[in-house]
Amino acid sequence: MPNPCRLCHSPFPAVIADFGHTPIAHRMLRQAGEPEELFSFVLTECPACGFVQVDVPIDPSALYGGFNFNFSSWKTEPHIETELAMIARYCVLDRVVEVGCNDGRFLDLVREQGAKAVVGIEPNPVPCRHAADRGITVVNQMLTSDLAASIAVEYGSATLVISRQVMEHVLDVHGFLRAINTMLAEGGFLFLDLPDSAPALGIGDCSFLWEEHVGYYTRDLLERLLSAHGFALKNLQTFDFSGGCIALLAQKIGPSTCESLPSHNETTAISGFAGRVEAYSESLHKLLIHAREKSIRVVLYGAGVRGCSVANFLKLAPLIDHVVDDQAERKGLFMPGVRLKVESLDEIMKDPGRFLILLAVNNENDARVSEKIRKLANDRALIMTICGPADIDSEIRKMNRMIT
Ligand SMILES: [Zn+2]
C-alpha cells in the first residue's frame, strides 16, 4: 500500500512505476566489487491532487550526508539570462534572499542587476564557502520556519525570494512555501526554477527520475500549489534545459497557513507512464543485444545522474561495455549499479572496432558531444540519445537499420 500524498494527504496514491531497488546515483564506487546500498524506487501519483512523488524517499541524512561536492560550477545554464530578464521585468531588487544559493553564482548576478542586500541560505558548507568568497552573506542551514522568521527580523522582509532547483528535493513542501511566504514582504515576489515533469512523463522517459527529486511538478500543479500558499502567478516560462525546466514568478498577495493542497478533479496526462517505459526498455534491450551480436561495443556516455537513472532503472548493466564521462572527478571511479570503470573517450577509441554510443548527457550538450565523438571515431560510431528522445521508436528503428 503506497504512502499518503505529501501534498493533500489523500490515502490513495497509485503506483505508476516500480523500478525495484537501485543505488544512489552520485555515490561513485572506488572499486568494482565495493558493496553498495540499494533503495526502493517507486513512483506514485495522487488521484486527488495529481502530484507525482517518490513513495518512500531515502532518508535525507543518508542521501545528503557527507557533503563534499559542488555541482553548480560544473554545468552551463543557457537559460540564466532569460531568468534574469524575467526578474528584472517584475521585481524590485531591494532585499533578496535565495534559498539553496549553492555557490552564490545566481545571487551574484542578481546583485549585479542592482539588488541592495542579498542573503543566501545553503545547507552544504562547501558551496557556502564559495558564496562567502563572493562577498555574499550566507546562512549555513536548512530553511525552517524559525530561520525564515529570524531572517525576516534581522534583514527585513524580502522583496524577492529566489529558489532554483531546490523544491523538487523538498519533502515538506507546505513548510517550505510557508517559510518563503514568511520571509516575503506583501507584494514581494517568489522566483522558482524547477524541473518540468510533463514532457518526460508524457513520453515515458525515465532519465529525468532521480532519487533526490522526491516530487515531480507540472505547470498546473504549481499554479494550484502557489495559489493555496497566498501567491498569484505572474509569469511562467519553460526551457529545454536539463530535460526540461519551469521558471516562474509569483507575487505574494496574502499570508500562508496552508497545510494541505485542495483536491481537484482534472484528469492528468501521465496515465500509461509505466507501459511507455516498459515498451522503451524492451526496444532498447533488443537494440543493444543486436549491436553486441554484430561485435559493436556499447558505450554509455555520461556517468552522471541521468546515465545512472537510465542504466539502473532499465537494467542495462549487462549490455554496456564501457562508461565514458567528461568530468575529471569521475575518471577511474566505478559507476553505481553498472560497476564499470569510468574511462575517457580517447582511451576507448584506441580499440579499432565499432561503437554504439548512448548519450546520457543533458540535451543541450548532445550536439557538442556528438561532434567530439565523430572527430575521434569518424564512421566507426553510431550515436543516439537515451535521455528523452522525443520519438523513442523512430530513434531505435533508425539505429537498428544502421547496424549491419
Ligand atoms: Zn494529493
mmCIF file with all atom_site columns, all heavy atoms in Angstrom, residues 283 287 290 296 356 370 374 381-385 389 391-404:
data_model
loop_
_atom_site.group_PDB
_atom_site.id
_atom_site.type_symbol
_atom_site.label_atom_id
_atom_site.label_alt_id
_atom_site.label_comp_id
_atom_site.label_asym_id
_atom_site.label_entity_id
_atom_site.label_seq_id
_atom_site.pdbx_PDB_ins_code
_atom_site.Cartn_x
_atom_site.Cartn_y
_atom_site.Cartn_z
_atom_site.occupancy
_atom_site.B_iso_or_equiv
_atom_site.pdbx_formal_charge
_atom_site.auth_seq_id
_atom_site.auth_comp_id
_atom_site.auth_asym_id
_atom_site.auth_atom_id
_atom_site.pdbx_PDB_model_num
ATOM 1   N N   . SER A 1 283 ? 12.520 -2.266 -26.392 1.00 0.00 ? 283 SER A N   1
ATOM 2   C CA  . SER A 1 283 ? 13.140 -1.937 -27.688 1.00 0.00 ? 283 SER A CA  1
ATOM 3   C C   . SER A 1 283 ? 14.624 -1.661 -27.516 1.00 0.00 ? 283 SER A C   1
ATOM 4   O O   . SER A 1 283 ? 15.444 -2.068 -28.346 1.00 0.00 ? 283 SER A O   1
ATOM 5   C CB  . SER A 1 283 ? 12.524 -0.683 -28.305 1.00 0.00 ? 283 SER A CB  1
ATOM 6   O OG  . SER A 1 283 ? 11.163 -0.723 -28.265 1.00 0.00 ? 283 SER A OG  1
ATOM 7   N N   . LEU A 1 287 ? 17.841 -3.661 -29.149 1.00 0.00 ? 287 LEU A N   1
ATOM 8   C CA  . LEU A 1 287 ? 18.837 -2.944 -29.962 1.00 0.00 ? 287 LEU A CA  1
ATOM 9   C C   . LEU A 1 287 ? 20.252 -3.239 -29.466 1.00 0.00 ? 287 LEU A C   1
ATOM 10  O O   . LEU A 1 287 ? 21.155 -3.513 -30.266 1.00 0.00 ? 287 LEU A O   1
ATOM 11  C CB  . LEU A 1 287 ? 18.556 -1.435 -29.907 1.00 0.00 ? 287 LEU A CB  1
ATOM 12  C CG  . LEU A 1 287 ? 19.600 -0.558 -30.593 1.00 0.00 ? 287 LEU A CG  1
ATOM 13  C CD1 . LEU A 1 287 ? 19.495 -0.684 -32.116 1.00 0.00 ? 287 LEU A CD1 1
ATOM 14  C CD2 . LEU A 1 287 ? 19.436 0.909  -30.186 1.00 0.00 ? 287 LEU A CD2 1
ATOM 15  N N   . HIS A 1 290 ? 21.325 -6.735 -30.277 1.00 0.00 ? 290 HIS A N   1
ATOM 16  C CA  . HIS A 1 290 ? 21.602 -6.791 -31.720 1.00 0.00 ? 290 HIS A CA  1
ATOM 17  C C   . HIS A 1 290 ? 22.993 -6.206 -32.013 1.00 0.00 ? 290 HIS A C   1
ATOM 18  O O   . HIS A 1 290 ? 23.783 -6.791 -32.759 1.00 0.00 ? 290 HIS A O   1
ATOM 19  C CB  . HIS A 1 290 ? 20.499 -6.016 -32.448 1.00 0.00 ? 290 HIS A CB  1
ATOM 20  C CG  . HIS A 1 290 ? 20.635 -5.970 -33.930 1.00 0.00 ? 290 HIS A CG  1
ATOM 21  N ND1 . HIS A 1 290 ? 21.000 -7.062 -34.688 1.00 0.00 ? 290 HIS A ND1 1
ATOM 22  C CD2 . HIS A 1 290 ? 20.452 -4.947 -34.813 1.00 0.00 ? 290 HIS A CD2 1
ATOM 23  C CE1 . HIS A 1 290 ? 21.035 -6.713 -35.967 1.00 0.00 ? 290 HIS A CE1 1
ATOM 24  N NE2 . HIS A 1 290 ? 20.721 -5.433 -36.058 1.00 0.00 ? 290 HIS A NE2 1
ATOM 25  N N   . ILE A 1 296 ? 29.601 -4.829 -32.095 1.00 0.00 ? 296 ILE A N   1
ATOM 26  C CA  . ILE A 1 296 ? 29.629 -3.381 -31.845 1.00 0.00 ? 296 ILE A CA  1
ATOM 27  C C   . ILE A 1 296 ? 29.625 -3.196 -30.335 1.00 0.00 ? 296 ILE A C   1
ATOM 28  O O   . ILE A 1 296 ? 28.770 -3.747 -29.645 1.00 0.00 ? 296 ILE A O   1
ATOM 29  C CB  . ILE A 1 296 ? 28.410 -2.695 -32.489 1.00 0.00 ? 296 ILE A CB  1
ATOM 30  C CG1 . ILE A 1 296 ? 28.487 -2.846 -34.009 1.00 0.00 ? 296 ILE A CG1 1
ATOM 31  C CG2 . ILE A 1 296 ? 28.333 -1.236 -32.081 1.00 0.00 ? 296 ILE A CG2 1
ATOM 32  C CD1 . ILE A 1 296 ? 27.258 -2.337 -34.744 1.00 0.00 ? 296 ILE A CD1 1
ATOM 33  N N   . LEU A 1 356 ? 28.466 1.667  -30.427 1.00 0.00 ? 356 LEU A N   1
ATOM 34  C CA  . LEU A 1 356 ? 27.146 2.307  -30.341 1.00 0.00 ? 356 LEU A CA  1
ATOM 35  C C   . LEU A 1 356 ? 27.187 3.169  -29.088 1.00 0.00 ? 356 LEU A C   1
ATOM 36  O O   . LEU A 1 356 ? 27.337 2.661  -27.975 1.00 0.00 ? 356 LEU A O   1
ATOM 37  C CB  . LEU A 1 356 ? 26.032 1.254  -30.231 1.00 0.00 ? 356 LEU A CB  1
ATOM 38  C CG  . LEU A 1 356 ? 24.628 1.795  -29.930 1.00 0.00 ? 356 LEU A CG  1
ATOM 39  C CD1 . LEU A 1 356 ? 24.168 2.796  -30.997 1.00 0.00 ? 356 LEU A CD1 1
ATOM 40  C CD2 . LEU A 1 356 ? 23.609 0.649  -29.835 1.00 0.00 ? 356 LEU A CD2 1
ATOM 41  N N   . SER A 1 370 ? 28.431 14.935 -29.629 1.00 0.00 ? 370 SER A N   1
ATOM 42  C CA  . SER A 1 370 ? 28.387 14.146 -30.874 1.00 0.00 ? 370 SER A CA  1
ATOM 43  C C   . SER A 1 370 ? 29.516 14.561 -31.816 1.00 0.00 ? 370 SER A C   1
ATOM 44  O O   . SER A 1 370 ? 30.168 13.726 -32.441 1.00 0.00 ? 370 SER A O   1
ATOM 45  C CB  . SER A 1 370 ? 27.047 14.342 -31.591 1.00 0.00 ? 370 SER A CB  1
ATOM 46  O OG  . SER A 1 370 ? 25.999 13.915 -30.770 1.00 0.00 ? 370 SER A OG  1
ATOM 47  N N   . ARG A 1 374 ? 32.484 12.185 -33.258 1.00 0.00 ? 374 ARG A N   1
ATOM 48  C CA  . ARG A 1 374 ? 32.689 12.000 -34.705 1.00 0.00 ? 374 ARG A CA  1
ATOM 49  C C   . ARG A 1 374 ? 34.121 12.322 -35.108 1.00 0.00 ? 374 ARG A C   1
ATOM 50  O O   . ARG A 1 374 ? 34.699 11.667 -35.976 1.00 0.00 ? 374 ARG A O   1
ATOM 51  C CB  . ARG A 1 374 ? 31.705 12.863 -35.504 1.00 0.00 ? 374 ARG A CB  1
ATOM 52  C CG  . ARG A 1 374 ? 30.322 12.286 -35.500 1.00 0.00 ? 374 ARG A CG  1
ATOM 53  C CD  . ARG A 1 374 ? 29.417 12.824 -36.586 1.00 0.00 ? 374 ARG A CD  1
ATOM 54  N NE  . ARG A 1 374 ? 28.062 12.391 -36.290 1.00 0.00 ? 374 ARG A NE  1
ATOM 55  C CZ  . ARG A 1 374 ? 27.177 13.116 -35.597 1.00 0.00 ? 374 ARG A CZ  1
ATOM 56  N NH1 . ARG A 1 374 ? 27.504 14.324 -35.176 1.00 0.00 ? 374 ARG A NH1 1
ATOM 57  N NH2 . ARG A 1 374 ? 25.982 12.637 -35.353 1.00 0.00 ? 374 ARG A NH2 1
ATOM 58  N N   . ALA A 1 381 ? 31.379 5.094  -35.176 1.00 0.00 ? 381 ALA A N   1
ATOM 59  C CA  . ALA A 1 381 ? 30.458 5.238  -34.038 1.00 0.00 ? 381 ALA A CA  1
ATOM 60  C C   . ALA A 1 381 ? 29.044 5.589  -34.483 1.00 0.00 ? 381 ALA A C   1
ATOM 61  O O   . ALA A 1 381 ? 28.846 6.490  -35.297 1.00 0.00 ? 381 ALA A O   1
ATOM 62  C CB  . ALA A 1 381 ? 30.980 6.309  -33.087 1.00 0.00 ? 381 ALA A CB  1
ATOM 63  N N   . LEU A 1 382 ? 28.086 4.853  -33.959 1.00 0.00 ? 382 LEU A N   1
ATOM 64  C CA  . LEU A 1 382 ? 26.679 5.218  -34.106 1.00 0.00 ? 382 LEU A CA  1
ATOM 65  C C   . LEU A 1 382 ? 26.295 5.927  -32.811 1.00 0.00 ? 382 LEU A C   1
ATOM 66  O O   . LEU A 1 382 ? 26.651 5.469  -31.722 1.00 0.00 ? 382 LEU A O   1
ATOM 67  C CB  . LEU A 1 382 ? 25.812 3.973  -34.278 1.00 0.00 ? 382 LEU A CB  1
ATOM 68  C CG  . LEU A 1 382 ? 26.117 3.098  -35.497 1.00 0.00 ? 382 LEU A CG  1
ATOM 69  C CD1 . LEU A 1 382 ? 25.372 1.777  -35.401 1.00 0.00 ? 382 LEU A CD1 1
ATOM 70  C CD2 . LEU A 1 382 ? 25.719 3.850  -36.768 1.00 0.00 ? 382 LEU A CD2 1
ATOM 71  N N   . ILE A 1 383 ? 25.572 7.049  -32.928 1.00 0.00 ? 383 ILE A N   1
ATOM 72  C CA  . ILE A 1 383 ? 25.284 7.853  -31.735 1.00 0.00 ? 383 ILE A CA  1
ATOM 73  C C   . ILE A 1 383 ? 23.778 8.023  -31.580 1.00 0.00 ? 383 ILE A C   1
ATOM 74  O O   . ILE A 1 383 ? 23.083 8.379  -32.529 1.00 0.00 ? 383 ILE A O   1
ATOM 75  C CB  . ILE A 1 383 ? 25.932 9.251  -31.861 1.00 0.00 ? 383 ILE A CB  1
ATOM 76  C CG1 . ILE A 1 383 ? 27.430 9.127  -32.144 1.00 0.00 ? 383 ILE A CG1 1
ATOM 77  C CG2 . ILE A 1 383 ? 25.696 10.070 -30.599 1.00 0.00 ? 383 ILE A CG2 1
ATOM 78  C CD1 . ILE A 1 383 ? 28.097 10.434 -32.544 1.00 0.00 ? 383 ILE A CD1 1
ATOM 79  N N   . MET A 1 384 ? 23.278 7.769  -30.381 1.00 0.00 ? 384 MET A N   1
ATOM 80  C CA  . MET A 1 384 ? 21.864 8.061  -30.086 1.00 0.00 ? 384 MET A CA  1
ATOM 81  C C   . MET A 1 384 ? 21.730 8.549  -28.649 1.00 0.00 ? 384 MET A C   1
ATOM 82  O O   . MET A 1 384 ? 22.561 8.238  -27.799 1.00 0.00 ? 384 MET A O   1
ATOM 83  C CB  . MET A 1 384 ? 20.985 6.824  -30.300 1.00 0.00 ? 384 MET A CB  1
ATOM 84  C CG  . MET A 1 384 ? 21.275 5.679  -29.363 1.00 0.00 ? 384 MET A CG  1
ATOM 85  S SD  . MET A 1 384 ? 20.144 4.270  -29.594 1.00 0.00 ? 384 MET A SD  1
ATOM 86  C CE  . MET A 1 384 ? 18.693 4.844  -28.721 1.00 0.00 ? 384 MET A CE  1
ATOM 87  N N   . THR A 1 385 ? 20.698 9.332  -28.396 1.00 0.00 ? 385 THR A N   1
ATOM 88  C CA  . THR A 1 385 ? 20.485 9.804  -27.029 1.00 0.00 ? 385 THR A CA  1
ATOM 89  C C   . THR A 1 385 ? 19.541 8.839  -26.295 1.00 0.00 ? 385 THR A C   1
ATOM 90  O O   . THR A 1 385 ? 18.636 8.268  -26.906 1.00 0.00 ? 385 THR A O   1
ATOM 91  C CB  . THR A 1 385 ? 19.903 11.233 -26.991 1.00 0.00 ? 385 THR A CB  1
ATOM 92  O OG1 . THR A 1 385 ? 19.689 11.591 -25.618 1.00 0.00 ? 385 THR A OG1 1
ATOM 93  C CG2 . THR A 1 385 ? 18.566 11.332 -27.713 1.00 0.00 ? 385 THR A CG2 1
ATOM 94  N N   . PRO A 1 389 ? 14.501 11.075 -25.801 1.00 0.00 ? 389 PRO A N   1
ATOM 95  C CA  . PRO A 1 389 ? 14.323 11.287 -27.244 1.00 0.00 ? 389 PRO A CA  1
ATOM 96  C C   . PRO A 1 389 ? 12.838 11.499 -27.511 1.00 0.00 ? 389 PRO A C   1
ATOM 97  O O   . PRO A 1 389 ? 12.002 10.747 -27.020 1.00 0.00 ? 389 PRO A O   1
ATOM 98  C CB  . PRO A 1 389 ? 14.811 9.963  -27.856 1.00 0.00 ? 389 PRO A CB  1
ATOM 99  C CG  . PRO A 1 389 ? 14.744 8.954  -26.754 1.00 0.00 ? 389 PRO A CG  1
ATOM 100 C CD  . PRO A 1 389 ? 14.892 9.714  -25.467 1.00 0.00 ? 389 PRO A CD  1
ATOM 101 N N   . ASP A 1 391 ? 10.993 11.118 -30.113 1.00 0.00 ? 391 ASP A N   1
ATOM 102 C CA  . ASP A 1 391 ? 10.349 9.982  -30.762 1.00 0.00 ? 391 ASP A CA  1
ATOM 103 C C   . ASP A 1 391 ? 11.214 8.750  -30.537 1.00 0.00 ? 391 ASP A C   1
ATOM 104 O O   . ASP A 1 391 ? 12.104 8.427  -31.309 1.00 0.00 ? 391 ASP A O   1
ATOM 105 C CB  . ASP A 1 391 ? 10.155 10.264 -32.253 1.00 0.00 ? 391 ASP A CB  1
ATOM 106 C CG  . ASP A 1 391 ? 9.336  9.155  -32.913 1.00 0.00 ? 391 ASP A CG  1
ATOM 107 O OD1 . ASP A 1 391 ? 9.203  8.069  -32.295 1.00 0.00 ? 391 ASP A OD1 1
ATOM 108 O OD2 . ASP A 1 391 ? 8.837  9.367  -34.015 1.00 0.00 ? 391 ASP A OD2 1
ATOM 109 N N   . ILE A 1 392 ? 10.940 8.084  -29.437 1.00 0.00 ? 392 ILE A N   1
ATOM 110 C CA  . ILE A 1 392 ? 11.738 6.958  -28.986 1.00 0.00 ? 392 ILE A CA  1
ATOM 111 C C   . ILE A 1 392 ? 11.776 5.843  -30.034 1.00 0.00 ? 392 ILE A C   1
ATOM 112 O O   . ILE A 1 392 ? 12.828 5.295  -30.355 1.00 0.00 ? 392 ILE A O   1
ATOM 113 C CB  . ILE A 1 392 ? 11.153 6.430  -27.645 1.00 0.00 ? 392 ILE A CB  1
ATOM 114 C CG1 . ILE A 1 392 ? 11.614 7.344  -26.505 1.00 0.00 ? 392 ILE A CG1 1
ATOM 115 C CG2 . ILE A 1 392 ? 11.548 4.991  -27.388 1.00 0.00 ? 392 ILE A CG2 1
ATOM 116 C CD1 . ILE A 1 392 ? 10.884 7.127  -25.198 1.00 0.00 ? 392 ILE A CD1 1
ATOM 117 N N   . ASP A 1 393 ? 10.629 5.513  -30.627 1.00 0.00 ? 393 ASP A N   1
ATOM 118 C CA  . ASP A 1 393 ? 10.564 4.389  -31.565 1.00 0.00 ? 393 ASP A CA  1
ATOM 119 C C   . ASP A 1 393 ? 11.372 4.650  -32.827 1.00 0.00 ? 393 ASP A C   1
ATOM 120 O O   . ASP A 1 393 ? 12.106 3.785  -33.292 1.00 0.00 ? 393 ASP A O   1
ATOM 121 C CB  . ASP A 1 393 ? 9.105  4.092  -31.940 1.00 0.00 ? 393 ASP A CB  1
ATOM 122 C CG  . ASP A 1 393 ? 8.354  3.564  -30.734 1.00 0.00 ? 393 ASP A CG  1
ATOM 123 O OD1 . ASP A 1 393 ? 9.005  2.955  -29.866 1.00 0.00 ? 393 ASP A OD1 1
ATOM 124 O OD2 . ASP A 1 393 ? 7.130  3.760  -30.657 1.00 0.00 ? 393 ASP A OD2 1
ATOM 125 N N   . SER A 1 394 ? 11.243 5.862  -33.379 1.00 0.00 ? 394 SER A N   1
ATOM 126 C CA  . SER A 1 394 ? 11.936 6.109  -34.643 1.00 0.00 ? 394 SER A CA  1
ATOM 127 C C   . SER A 1 394 ? 13.448 6.147  -34.418 1.00 0.00 ? 394 SER A C   1
ATOM 128 O O   . SER A 1 394 ? 14.219 5.730  -35.272 1.00 0.00 ? 394 SER A O   1
ATOM 129 C CB  . SER A 1 394 ? 11.435 7.393  -35.306 1.00 0.00 ? 394 SER A CB  1
ATOM 130 O OG  . SER A 1 394 ? 12.015 8.513  -34.714 1.00 0.00 ? 394 SER A OG  1
ATOM 131 N N   . GLU A 1 395 ? 13.888 6.624  -33.249 1.00 0.00 ? 395 GLU A N   1
ATOM 132 C CA  . GLU A 1 395 ? 15.325 6.654  -32.927 1.00 0.00 ? 395 GLU A CA  1
ATOM 133 C C   . GLU A 1 395 ? 15.877 5.220  -32.921 1.00 0.00 ? 395 GLU A C   1
ATOM 134 O O   . GLU A 1 395 ? 16.932 4.936  -33.476 1.00 0.00 ? 395 GLU A O   1
ATOM 135 C CB  . GLU A 1 395 ? 15.499 7.298  -31.541 1.00 0.00 ? 395 GLU A CB  1
ATOM 136 C CG  . GLU A 1 395 ? 16.935 7.453  -31.088 1.00 0.00 ? 395 GLU A CG  1
ATOM 137 C CD  . GLU A 1 395 ? 17.475 8.867  -31.275 1.00 0.00 ? 395 GLU A CD  1
ATOM 138 O OE1 . GLU A 1 395 ? 16.773 9.695  -31.858 1.00 0.00 ? 395 GLU A OE1 1
ATOM 139 O OE2 . GLU A 1 395 ? 18.610 9.113  -30.843 1.00 0.00 ? 395 GLU A OE2 1
ATOM 140 N N   . ILE A 1 396 ? 15.146 4.324  -32.297 1.00 0.00 ? 396 ILE A N   1
ATOM 141 C CA  . ILE A 1 396 ? 15.617 2.940  -32.199 1.00 0.00 ? 396 ILE A CA  1
ATOM 142 C C   . ILE A 1 396 ? 15.513 2.236  -33.556 1.00 0.00 ? 396 ILE A C   1
ATOM 143 O O   . ILE A 1 396 ? 16.418 1.491  -33.938 1.00 0.00 ? 396 ILE A O   1
ATOM 144 C CB  . ILE A 1 396 ? 14.836 2.197  -31.086 1.00 0.00 ? 396 ILE A CB  1
ATOM 145 C CG1 . ILE A 1 396 ? 15.338 2.727  -29.723 1.00 0.00 ? 396 ILE A CG1 1
ATOM 146 C CG2 . ILE A 1 396 ? 15.021 0.686  -31.179 1.00 0.00 ? 396 ILE A CG2 1
ATOM 147 C CD1 . ILE A 1 396 ? 14.836 2.031  -28.515 1.00 0.00 ? 396 ILE A CD1 1
ATOM 148 N N   . ARG A 1 397 ? 14.462 2.504  -34.317 1.00 0.00 ? 397 ARG A N   1
ATOM 149 C CA  . ARG A 1 397 ? 14.348 1.902  -35.663 1.00 0.00 ? 397 ARG A CA  1
ATOM 150 C C   . ARG A 1 397 ? 15.507 2.347  -36.547 1.00 0.00 ? 397 ARG A C   1
ATOM 151 O O   . ARG A 1 397 ? 16.100 1.552  -37.267 1.00 0.00 ? 397 ARG A O   1
ATOM 152 C CB  . ARG A 1 397 ? 13.019 2.307  -36.306 1.00 0.00 ? 397 ARG A CB  1
ATOM 153 C CG  . ARG A 1 397 ? 11.840 1.390  -35.940 1.00 0.00 ? 397 ARG A CG  1
ATOM 154 C CD  . ARG A 1 397 ? 10.704 1.519  -36.982 1.00 0.00 ? 397 ARG A CD  1
ATOM 155 N NE  . ARG A 1 397 ? 10.273 2.908  -37.140 1.00 0.00 ? 397 ARG A NE  1
ATOM 156 C CZ  . ARG A 1 397 ? 9.366  3.514  -36.369 1.00 0.00 ? 397 ARG A CZ  1
ATOM 157 N NH1 . ARG A 1 397 ? 8.810  2.856  -35.387 1.00 0.00 ? 397 ARG A NH1 1
ATOM 158 N NH2 . ARG A 1 397 ? 9.021  4.766  -36.587 1.00 0.00 ? 397 ARG A NH2 1
ATOM 159 N N   . LYS A 1 398 ? 15.852 3.626  -36.438 1.00 0.00 ? 398 LYS A N   1
ATOM 160 C CA  . LYS A 1 398 ? 16.956 4.165  -37.256 1.00 0.00 ? 398 LYS A CA  1
ATOM 161 C C   . LYS A 1 398 ? 18.253 3.447  -36.915 1.00 0.00 ? 398 LYS A C   1
ATOM 162 O O   . LYS A 1 398 ? 19.001 3.039  -37.797 1.00 0.00 ? 398 LYS A O   1
ATOM 163 C CB  . LYS A 1 398 ? 17.077 5.686  -36.978 1.00 0.00 ? 398 LYS A CB  1
ATOM 164 C CG  . LYS A 1 398 ? 18.046 6.389  -37.908 1.00 0.00 ? 398 LYS A CG  1
ATOM 165 C CD  . LYS A 1 398 ? 18.036 7.897  -37.673 1.00 0.00 ? 398 LYS A CD  1
ATOM 166 C CE  . LYS A 1 398 ? 18.975 8.265  -36.549 1.00 0.00 ? 398 LYS A CE  1
ATOM 167 N NZ  . LYS A 1 398 ? 18.936 9.665  -36.131 1.00 0.00 ? 398 LYS A NZ  1
ATOM 168 N N   . MET A 1 399 ? 18.516 3.269  -35.623 1.00 0.00 ? 399 MET A N   1
ATOM 169 C CA  . MET A 1 399 ? 19.748 2.604  -35.191 1.00 0.00 ? 399 MET A CA  1
ATOM 170 C C   . MET A 1 399 ? 19.770 1.151  -35.658 1.00 0.00 ? 399 MET A C   1
ATOM 171 O O   . MET A 1 399 ? 20.791 0.647  -36.126 1.00 0.00 ? 399 MET A O   1
ATOM 172 C CB  . MET A 1 399 ? 19.869 2.621  -33.655 1.00 0.00 ? 399 MET A CB  1
ATOM 173 C CG  . MET A 1 399 ? 20.299 3.945  -33.109 1.00 0.00 ? 399 MET A CG  1
ATOM 174 S SD  . MET A 1 399 ? 21.945 4.400  -33.683 1.00 0.00 ? 399 MET A SD  1
ATOM 175 C CE  . MET A 1 399 ? 21.666 6.114  -34.063 1.00 0.00 ? 399 MET A CE  1
ATOM 176 N N   . ASN A 1 400 ? 18.638 0.476  -35.551 1.00 0.00 ? 400 ASN A N   1
ATOM 177 C CA  . ASN A 1 400 ? 18.563 -0.919 -35.989 1.00 0.00 ? 400 ASN A CA  1
ATOM 178 C C   . ASN A 1 400 ? 18.911 -1.046 -37.470 1.00 0.00 ? 400 ASN A C   1
ATOM 179 O O   . ASN A 1 400 ? 19.597 -1.976 -37.867 1.00 0.00 ? 400 ASN A O   1
ATOM 180 C CB  . ASN A 1 400 ? 17.152 -1.484 -35.729 1.00 0.00 ? 400 ASN A CB  1
ATOM 181 C CG  . ASN A 1 400 ? 17.093 -2.239 -34.422 1.00 0.00 ? 400 ASN A CG  1
ATOM 182 O OD1 . ASN A 1 400 ? 17.997 -3.030 -34.114 1.00 0.00 ? 400 ASN A OD1 1
ATOM 183 N ND2 . ASN A 1 400 ? 16.068 -1.994 -33.629 1.00 0.00 ? 400 ASN A ND2 1
ATOM 184 N N   . ARG A 1 401 ? 18.446 -0.089 -38.269 1.00 0.00 ? 401 ARG A N   1
ATOM 185 C CA  . ARG A 1 401 ? 18.744 -0.114 -39.699 1.00 0.00 ? 401 ARG A CA  1
ATOM 186 C C   . ARG A 1 401 ? 20.232 0.090  -39.958 1.00 0.00 ? 401 ARG A C   1
ATOM 187 O O   . ARG A 1 401 ? 20.800 -0.442 -40.902 1.00 0.00 ? 401 ARG A O   1
ATOM 188 C CB  . ARG A 1 401 ? 17.951 0.973  -40.438 1.00 0.00 ? 401 ARG A CB  1
ATOM 189 C CG  . ARG A 1 401 ? 16.484 0.604  -40.700 1.00 0.00 ? 401 ARG A CG  1
ATOM 190 C CD  . ARG A 1 401 ? 15.891 1.508  -41.778 1.00 0.00 ? 401 ARG A CD  1
ATOM 191 N NE  . ARG A 1 401 ? 15.983 2.940  -41.430 1.00 0.00 ? 401 ARG A NE  1
ATOM 192 C CZ  . ARG A 1 401 ? 15.045 3.578  -40.719 1.00 0.00 ? 401 ARG A CZ  1
ATOM 193 N NH1 . ARG A 1 401 ? 13.980 2.931  -40.278 1.00 0.00 ? 401 ARG A NH1 1
ATOM 194 N NH2 . ARG A 1 401 ? 15.179 4.856  -40.463 1.00 0.00 ? 401 ARG A NH2 1
ATOM 195 N N   . MET A 1 402 ? 20.865 0.884  -39.098 1.00 0.00 ? 402 MET A N   1
ATOM 196 C CA  . MET A 1 402 ? 22.278 1.229  -39.317 1.00 0.00 ? 402 MET A CA  1
ATOM 197 C C   . MET A 1 402 ? 23.221 0.119  -38.852 1.00 0.00 ? 402 MET A C   1
ATOM 198 O O   . MET A 1 402 ? 24.391 0.118  -39.204 1.00 0.00 ? 402 MET A O   1
ATOM 199 C CB  . MET A 1 402 ? 22.604 2.545  -38.607 1.00 0.00 ? 402 MET A CB  1
ATOM 200 C CG  . MET A 1 402 ? 21.876 3.728  -39.263 1.00 0.00 ? 402 MET A CG  1
ATOM 201 S SD  . MET A 1 402 ? 22.023 5.231  -38.321 1.00 0.00 ? 402 MET A SD  1
ATOM 202 C CE  . MET A 1 402 ? 23.607 5.802  -38.879 1.00 0.00 ? 402 MET A CE  1
ATOM 203 N N   . ILE A 1 403 ? 22.718 -0.791 -38.018 1.00 0.00 ? 403 ILE A N   1
ATOM 204 C CA  . ILE A 1 403 ? 23.565 -1.876 -37.534 1.00 0.00 ? 403 ILE A CA  1
ATOM 205 C C   . ILE A 1 403 ? 23.492 -3.028 -38.536 1.00 0.00 ? 403 ILE A C   1
ATOM 206 O O   . ILE A 1 403 ? 22.453 -3.655 -38.689 1.00 0.00 ? 403 ILE A O   1
ATOM 207 C CB  . ILE A 1 403 ? 23.110 -2.338 -36.126 1.00 0.00 ? 403 ILE A CB  1
ATOM 208 C CG1 . ILE A 1 403 ? 23.365 -1.231 -35.116 1.00 0.00 ? 403 ILE A CG1 1
ATOM 209 C CG2 . ILE A 1 403 ? 23.833 -3.616 -35.726 1.00 0.00 ? 403 ILE A CG2 1
ATOM 210 C CD1 . ILE A 1 403 ? 22.807 -1.501 -33.744 1.00 0.00 ? 403 ILE A CD1 1
ATOM 211 N N   . THR A 1 404 ? 24.605 -3.253 -39.213 1.00 0.00 ? 404 THR A N   1
ATOM 212 C CA  . THR A 1 404 ? 24.607 -4.334 -40.230 1.00 0.00 ? 404 THR A CA  1
ATOM 213 C C   . THR A 1 404 ? 25.757 -5.285 -39.957 1.00 0.00 ? 404 THR A C   1
ATOM 214 O O   . THR A 1 404 ? 26.679 -4.975 -39.235 1.00 0.00 ? 404 THR A O   1
ATOM 215 C CB  . THR A 1 404 ? 24.767 -3.743 -41.645 1.00 0.00 ? 404 THR A CB  1
ATOM 216 O OG1 . THR A 1 404 ? 25.885 -2.858 -41.607 1.00 0.00 ? 404 THR A OG1 1
ATOM 217 C CG2 . THR A 1 404 ? 23.521 -3.029 -42.073 1.00 0.00 ? 404 THR A CG2 1
#
